[in-house]
Structures are given as C-alpha cells and as structure tokens.
C-alpha cells in the first residue's frame, strides 16, 4: 500500500480530508491578496486580545500549544482579510443578483413558540394565552417540550427558512402579535405567535455576506472536483 493511499485513508477515517482540501483551496485562491498594513495591525491586536496574549511569553506559549511558527501565526491573522479582499474583488458584483434569488430565505423573524405532543394541552394553553389569563413565555417555560422551554418560547431573530416549512408559511402571512390557533407540525401540536418580521434589504453588510457565500460555493465546487481526482487513490494498488 502506497504512502499516499495510507495518508488518504487516515484523513478519511478521522474526517479530516474535506476540511483540509477546503482550506487548501481557500489558501490557494486568496494567497496573493495583500491586506493593508493598518488592517493587519488591527486584526493582530484583536486576535491577541481575544486569545489573551498579553506579552511575548504568552505569545510563545500559544505558538507552542498550537504547534505554529511566527509565519503560521501571521498567516492565520491575515487569512480573514485575504478572504474578504478576494470576495470583494471577485464576487461583490454578483452579490445583488444572488440576493434577489435568496431574499425570501434571508428575511428575519422573531416568534414565540410552544410545542407539545398533547393536542388537548395545546388547545388549553392557547385559550389561556388568548384570554389573557397567562403569559406566553411563562407557559412555554412550564409546558413546552422543545428547546424553546429554555428561552420562554422566544425564537430569533432567525432566517424565515430556519422554521419548519409549515410554520414558515404561516409566519410569512401572519400579523405581529396575533396568536395563532394550535396547528399540527409533524409529531407536535404548536402554538405560535409572530413577534416581528424584518424583510431582508440589500446593503453593504448583506453584500459582504453574500459575496462570501458565493466564494464558499465555489470552494465547495472545487472540493467536489478535486475529490473526484483523488478517487483513484482510494483503492489500494494491486500487489505485483
């Protein structure tokens, strides 16, 4: 068995092949970008602050822990800036068209949710909230059977598409503050109330986000192409 085959088998076994190739593709694509020195200095300062690197001793300890050289550290600090510059240069002009195809998926909602598998309980809780006898958040904390129990029923702000398709369709046409009758969603009975709806708008922040999204799509396409070229190495060579 060849060394290449051994390495590929080990990378696959430990689920490291995909992130390794994706990072390599990214590095090759953005490596020629040269961020401004003031941006690099700001990024370096922020990195050191986040990692608690206050002096030369703590920096060296961090490098030893990571197994990095000074050059590795510089690369890691500069990488987000290189990616940002690359995305602006190659994908910013495509961002608005991409936004138009994705707008419905980018709208943000905040909603109150209470789910239970007991249809009668869902109806009872709905009636209590609707009559003003109880607070939605208090009942969610007490009776909800999903993770919304820990947030007093509040979900969001999240993209509309993060909700179950049945709920998303209801939320899209709901009026904020109006409590909706219990509905069946899969195995659950759901009490729902839209709190706020924020349509996505195309601005500089959105342009940056979508430019990066387009770049990530390209990276994934390149990964798929490269993995095909490695398929021949996935089979051990026949012994002669």
């Amino acid at each position: 068995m060849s060394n290449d085959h051994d390495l590929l088998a080990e990378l696959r076994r430990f689920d490291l092949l995909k992130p390794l190739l994706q990072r390599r593709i990214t590095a090759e694509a953005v490596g020629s970008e040269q961020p401004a020195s003031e941006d690099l200095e700001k990024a370096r300062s922020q990195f050191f602050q986040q990692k608690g690197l206050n002096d030369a001793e703590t920096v060296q300890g961090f490098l030893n822990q990571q197994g990095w050289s000074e050059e590795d550290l510089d690369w890691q600090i500069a990488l987000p800036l290189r990616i940002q510059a690359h995305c602006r240069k190659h994908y910013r002009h495509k961002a608005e068209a991409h936004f138009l195809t994705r707008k419905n998926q980018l709208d943000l909602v905040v909603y109150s949710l209470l789910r239970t598998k007991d249809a009668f309980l869902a109806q009872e809780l709905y009636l209590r909230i609707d009559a003003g006898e109880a607070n939605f958040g208090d009942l969610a904390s007490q009776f909800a059977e999903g993770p919304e129990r820990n947030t007093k029923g509040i979900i969001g702000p999240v993209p509309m598409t993060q909700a179950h398709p049945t709920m998303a369709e209801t939320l899209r046409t709901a009026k904020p503050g109006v409590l909706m009758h219990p509905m069946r969603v899969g195995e659950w009975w759901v009490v729902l109330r839209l709190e706020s709806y924020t349509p996505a708008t195309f601005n500089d922040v959105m342009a940056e986000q979508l430019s990066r999204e387009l770049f990530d799509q390209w990276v994934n396409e390149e990964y798929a192409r490269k993995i095909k070229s490695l398929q021949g190495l996935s089979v051990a060579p026949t012994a002669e």
Side-chain angles (χ1 to χ4, degrees):
M1 186 178 290
S2 69
N3 289 336
D4 284 345
H5 180 267
D6 288 343
L7 178 59
L8 278 173
E10 191 167 12
L11 288 170
R12 286 193 180 95
R13 184 174 301 117
F14 294 109
D15 197 23
L16 296 173
L17 183 58
K18 184 173 183 178
L20 174 63
L21 285 178
Q22 288 177 324
R23 285 173 173 81
R24 189 170 185 176
I25 292 165
T26 298
E28 290 173 352
V30 308
S32 63
E33 303 293 347
Q34 296 297 327
S37 57
E38 58 269 24
D39 291 336
L40 279 171
E41 188 58 37
K42 182 179 179 181
R44 188 179 186 87
S45 176
Q46 291 175 342
F47 185 91
F48 279 29
Q49 184 177 6
Q50 290 169 358
K51 301 295 183 182
L53 307 179
N54 303 316
D55 51 40
E57 183 177 352
T58 56
V59 171
Q60 189 57 53
F62 176 78
L63 293 177
N64 294 340
Q65 184 181 42
Q66 297 295 120
W68 289 356
S69 66
E70 286 280 358
E71 290 75 18
D72 295 330
L73 177 62
D74 291 341
W75 170 262
Q76 292 295 333
I77 291 172
L79 182 58
L81 296 176
R82 294 178 190 272
I83 293 174
Q84 185 181 61
H86 184 83
C87 290
R88 286 174 177 171
K89 183 184 300 182
H90 296 280
Y91 297 98
R92 175 63 177 81
H93 65 287
K94 301 177 182 179
E96 188 166 9
H98 187 51
F99 169 78
L100 294 176
T101 67
R102 292 261 285 114
K103 184 183 181 306
N104 287 343
Q105 299 170 323
L106 298 168
D107 294 340
L108 296 178
V109 289
V110 177
Y111 58 95
S112 291
L113 170 68
L114 193 164
R115 59 186 138 181
T116 175
K117 294 180 180 178
D118 187 331
F120 295 104
L121 177 60
Q123 182 66 22
E124 178 189 344
L125 298 177
Y126 162 78
L127 292 173
R128 289 176 63 185
I129 297 168
D130 190 52
E133 296 176 3
N135 177 272
F136 197 123
D138 293 338
L139 293 184
S141 297
Q142 185 176 357
F143 294 104
E145 297 174 27
E148 72 276 5
R149 183 188 188 105
N150 301 319
T151 61
K152 297 182 75 69
I154 293 293
I155 307 294
V158 294
M160 180 74 77
T161 51
Q162 186 169 313
H164 185 281
T166 301
M167 289 169 50
E169 182 178 351
T170 301
L171 289 168
R172 198 175 294 281
T173 57
K175 294 182 179 180
V178 176
L179 187 67
M180 285 164 267
H181 288 274
M183 69 181 74
R184 186 69 180 266
V185 179
E187 62 181 339
W188 302 101
W189 283 94
V190 170
V191 181
L192 197 63
R193 183 175 68 199
L194 177 66
E195 304 298 342
S196 67
Y197 170 72
T198 307
T201 56
F202 187 74
N203 51 28
D204 288 340
V205 174
M206 183 63 70
E208 294 274 328
Q209 174 185 329
L210 294 180
S211 296
R212 177 61 189 267
E213 186 174 289
L214 288 168
F215 174 64
D216 288 342
Q217 288 179 3
W218 175 84
V219 170
N220 286 330
E221 290 166 2
E222 283 296 294
Y223 164 76
R225 185 180 64 80
K226 286 183 179 293
I227 205 69
K228 284 183 180 179
S229 71
L230 292 173
Q231 284 178 344
L233 293 175
S234 65
V235 179
T238 304
E240 295 183 1

